[in-house]
Amino acid sequence: MGILSQPVGAIAAWLQALLEGWGLAPGLTKVILYLIGAGLVATLVQVWVIFLIWFERKIIGRFQDRLGPNRVGPYGLLQPFADLIKIITKEVILPAKADKAVYLLGPIVMNAGVLAIWAVIPLMPMVGMDTNIAALYTIAVGAFATLGILMSGWASNNKFALVSAIRTVAQMVAYEVPTVLALLVPVLLAGTMSLHGIVKAQHVWFVIFAPLAFLIYFIASVAEVGRTPFDLLEAESEIVAGFHIEYSGMVFAIFYVADFLHAFTIGALAAVLFLGGWRGPGAEAFPLLGVVYLWIKAFAVYFLVVWARGSLPRVRIDQMMDFSWKFLTPLALILLVVAAVLDHFVIGLGVWGRALSHLAANAVVAWLVLQYLEHYDRARARQRPMVAQPGQYPEARPPAPVETSPETAS
Amino acid sequence: MTVMQIVFLITAVVTLFAAFRVVTTPNMVHAALWLIVTLFGAAVFYALLQANFLAVAQVVVYIGAIAILMMFVIMLTRREMRDRGPQTGKQWPWAAVIAAAFFGGLVWLGQQAALPAAPKADVPKDSIAQLGQALVSPNGFVIPFEVASVLLLAALIGAVYLAWTRHQS
């Protein structure tokens, strides 16, 4: 067991030998090792957020034709540290009529929900909890993020915060359905719910098998995180800042960290489910390379999230609900059925034959959907012309009477 | 005492305390939050018994859906979150007697029943695959499974029908 072929396993074995040498019981040693592992993962990904904040501000700056942070340190790299020191020195203000315990627990519950997802993400071969329910688990702990927002929105004793919390629940319930249905496609293709198993099954990335499912998963996850264009829960122009309106200082910073980390986490999840996870040249022999590959892929997806934030306007709430229930959910259901039925017939074709037939089926579904949308659009345009009809708006003046009728003109 | 037993004891104490607070706290939202703690404690028990799928399903269904909708409804319907009146009704002694008798009966039954010894073998690694196959195999539970599906579908259609607004043209 070399340090290069199994870095974490080697360190864990060394630590275990050390602790047992001190005379601790083997059961207790195992628990201590688990605690160290969980603490390390949770701490490292939160420290990673410091870099994410710089990255996102820089990219958004470029999208908006600005320079972004560029004063503190080279390329503004130390700007997040300056912000960090500033936010630590700020006072944590408790609103007088807030529900104190729930108010302070809200951000912690939200952050815990995001961090819990990292327990099952396979960072490299042999690392990360390998359980046969991991895919479902990522959905389950996502509920805690919702719960945290709901708690803080209610406990702030602020009408805007409560409206935001209620919007959040509506949005999460709506977009959880397409997320789960799209998630089922890679589960079905790999034949397991274990994320390790899904990564191992991707000799060809599942994004080639199921590009539409990847798109649905991506869009629905962005909505679940509440990023633009689905940031109705903190729409500044309508409800000021949403659920975190009353928060300040480090308590607010926890929300901030959870938000950035959640966006990166869905990048990592999409990379694991659809982009091959730690797979890449040489990752089997040197697992540390696997972390690099996973990080690059997660960053690619995260960049898409930031790109969407930099380019798209916010959707209205009715558009958001319609998009999930009337478009994404039926489409995801159709895709799931198509993938299941098709896979039954092409499973013997070899990896590439299987991948290409799935790709062809996806192309057909995409073409049909586009045809349907065009037809639907035309039908709606016929039904409701773009010009205002007489009597449609009470305050609008009726159109001028037709001056020449065929009878009088001739 | 193994570590698992310590975890079990802590979880049991927290779960019981939370369940107690659900019925005694005057604040409705706090009651819902304590209920979430109780349900999560049950999920931890499932995980301790190596029933991973049940544990996650418990979190998805009860915390992710039911408890959050419950909080949602409480927030939407009540302006005053705090109950000012007394916490108990007139019949509380009778309810206490019946509850105590029921609990005593359960304890007695548990002691009387000859529980089989814990199986020596570990839980199979792919228990969830076996569960899935049992649900759809003709020798397994395919008929109850389908009946439940049809029932849920009927409930779904009924909900859509009730919420349908008929446009008058």
Side-chain angles (χ1 to χ4, degrees), chain B residues 64-166:
Chain B
I66 292 180
I68 285 185
L69 278 184
M70 218 182 256
M71 280 188 74
F72 194 56
V73 168
I74 293 169
M75 285 180 190
L76 276 181
T77 49
R78 309 209 11 152
R79 267 187 76 232
E80 187 65 40
M81 296 292 170
R82 192 167 280 277
D83 269 336
R84 301 235 180 267
Q87 288 267 48
T88 48
K90 270 181 200 160
Q91 296 115 342
W92 77 266
W94 292 108
V97 165
I98 291 172
F102 191 68
F103 183 70
L106 276 180
V107 170
W108 179 77
L109 262 182
Q111 280 178 341
Q112 289 295 307
L115 291 176
K120 291 282 181 293
D122 274 347
V123 179
K125 195 112 201 284
D126 59 340
S127 57
I128 179 171
Q130 289 176 2
L131 178 68
Q133 268 158 9
L135 278 181
V136 291
S137 88
N139 302 326
F141 304 95
V142 68
I143 290 179
F145 183 69
E146 289 298 326
V147 168
S149 310
V150 170
L151 187 70
L152 287 175
L153 185 67
L156 201 66
I157 294 171
V160 171
Y161 179 78
L162 286 179
W164 196 272
T165 45
R166 284 168 198 78

Side-chain angles (χ1 to χ4, degrees), chain A residues 90-373:
Chain A
K90 281 193 171 184
E91 184 192 355
V92 175
I93 299 169
L94 277 171
K97 290 212 170 168
D99 195 319
K100 208 167 169 186
V102 183
Y103 178 85
L104 292 176
L105 265 176
I108 295 171
V109 170
M110 184 187 174
N111 205 5
V114 179
L115 282 177
I117 297 178
W118 282 89
V120 292
I121 289 186
L123 292 174
M124 51 178 121
M126 324 289 290
V127 173
M129 196 173 132
D130 188 9
T131 164
N132 202 0
I133 42 153
L136 191 61
Y137 171 87
T138 59
I139 300 294
V141 293
F144 284 99
T146 316
L147 186 63
I149 293 177
L150 197 56
M151 283 164 71
S152 41
W154 175 77
S156 298
N157 200 16
N158 180 311
K159 287 200 172 54
F160 294 117
L162 189 58
V163 168
S164 162
I166 287 167
R167 280 186 181 191
T168 306
V169 176
Q171 186 165 333
M172 304 274 172
V173 170
Y175 279 87
E176 206 163 35
V177 181
T179 314
V180 175
L181 289 174
L183 178 82
L184 279 179
V185 173
V187 167
L188 190 135
L189 290 172
T192 173
M193 278 211 277
S194 146
L195 292 185
H196 279 272
I198 289 175
V199 171
K200 274 184 204 138
Q202 295 187 60
H203 299 291
V204 178
W205 292 1
F206 282 161
V207 69
I208 295 172
F209 279 80
L212 288 182
F214 174 67
L215 258 181
I216 293 176
Y217 185 78
F218 176 72
I219 295 171
S221 319
V222 170
E224 275 203 63
V225 178
R227 280 298 186 107
T228 326
F230 300 102
D231 58 343
L232 293 140
L233 48 158
E234 42 191 273
E236 296 91 347
S237 47
E238 302 159 23
I239 47 175
V240 198
F243 59 93
H244 55 64
I245 181 170
E246 296 283 2
Y247 286 82
S248 67
M250 269 320 275
V251 195
F252 168 73
I254 298 176
F255 276 127
Y256 205 65
V257 166
D259 176 43
F260 277 84
L261 190 60
H262 208 168
F264 187 73
T265 308
I266 62 161
L269 268 179
V272 166
L273 289 169
F274 290 98
L275 301 179
W278 45 257
R279 277 181 172 275
E284 299 270 3
F286 302 103
L288 280 178
L289 266 181
V291 185
V292 178
Y293 292 136
L294 176 68
W295 232 243
I296 291 171
K297 289 166 186 171
F299 236 92
V301 182
Y302 177 67
F303 180 77
L304 284 181
V305 178
V306 180
W307 193 357
R309 185 183 160 188
S311 6
L312 293 173
R314 186 181 306 131
V315 296
R316 274 199 329 255
I317 192 151
D318 60 323
Q319 292 170 333
M320 182 203 78
M321 294 308 256
D322 279 1
F323 188 55
S324 171
W325 290 115
K326 296 185 186 168
F327 183 69
L328 286 184
T329 306
L331 181 57
L333 269 173
I334 291 169
L335 281 174
L336 184 63
V337 173
V338 166
V341 172
L342 184 68
D343 208 48
H344 180 72
F345 293 111
V346 299
I347 200 153
L349 281 184
V351 179
W352 276 102
R354 201 171 151 220
L356 289 179
S357 41
H358 273 280
L359 185 63
N362 264 266
V364 171
V365 171
W367 183 76
L368 285 176
V369 166
L370 287 178
Q371 291 297 312
Y372 170 74
L373 283 182

